[in-house]
Each structure stands twice: as C-alpha cells, then as structure tokens.
C-alpha cells in the first residue's frame, strides 16, 4: 500500500516522525510537509516567491519532501 503523509507542523515535527515510523508497517510512506510550521496558513496565497521543494533525510527510517 502507498501512503501519503502530510501535516502543517513541519517535516521535523515529532508527531509526523512517530506516525511515519508506525505507517511503515502498513506500506510505502511518502511524506510531504513544510520545512517550518505553517499552522493557520491554509488560506494563504503565494504570489511573488516560487514554491521550492527539497528532499530531506530526517533519520535512518524517515525521509520526505519539505
């Protein structure tokens, strides 16, 4: 099974790391989250700055895109 895991607390948040570890027991986990906390910005719009993504390794079991 392929699982998409995302949040608004950031890729290094302890909760997403714990959930990622547990979901590995169910299948392949693809994690995408902001680099920094973005809580309460769901209705924001980006006009002048391009959105950039980069692959990051968080620990030996978790990597994702920020």
């Amino acid at each position: 099974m392929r699982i998409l895991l995302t949040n608004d607390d950031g890729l290094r948040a302890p909760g997403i790391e714990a959930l990622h570890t547990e979901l590995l027991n169910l299948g392949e986990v693809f994690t995408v989250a902001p680099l920094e906390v973005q809580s309460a910005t769901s209705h924001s719009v980006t006009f002048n700055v391009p959105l950039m993504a980069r692959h990051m390794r968080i620990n030996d079991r978790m990597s994702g895109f920020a």
Side-chain angles (χ1 to χ4, degrees), residues 31-57:
T31 305
V32 179
L35 185 59
E36 299 174 4
V37 176
Q38 296 295 316
S39 296
T41 61
S42 62
H43 290 103
S44 65
V45 178
T46 301
F47 285 108
N48 299 320
V49 180
L51 296 175
M52 306 299 288
R54 69 179 192 212
H55 186 260
M56 297 182 66
R57 176 150 299 284

Side-chain angles (χ1 to χ4, degrees), residues 1 8-11 13 15 17-18 24-25 27 30 32-33 36-37 39 41-42 44 46 48 50 53 58-60 65:
M1 176 185 331
D8 62 356
D9 293 328
L11 194 58
E17 187 174 344
L24 286 173
N25 296 320
F30 187 74
V32 179
E36 299 174 4
V37 176
S39 296
T41 61
S42 62
S44 65
T46 301
N48 299 320
I58 303 304
N59 59 37
D60 61 332
F65 286 88

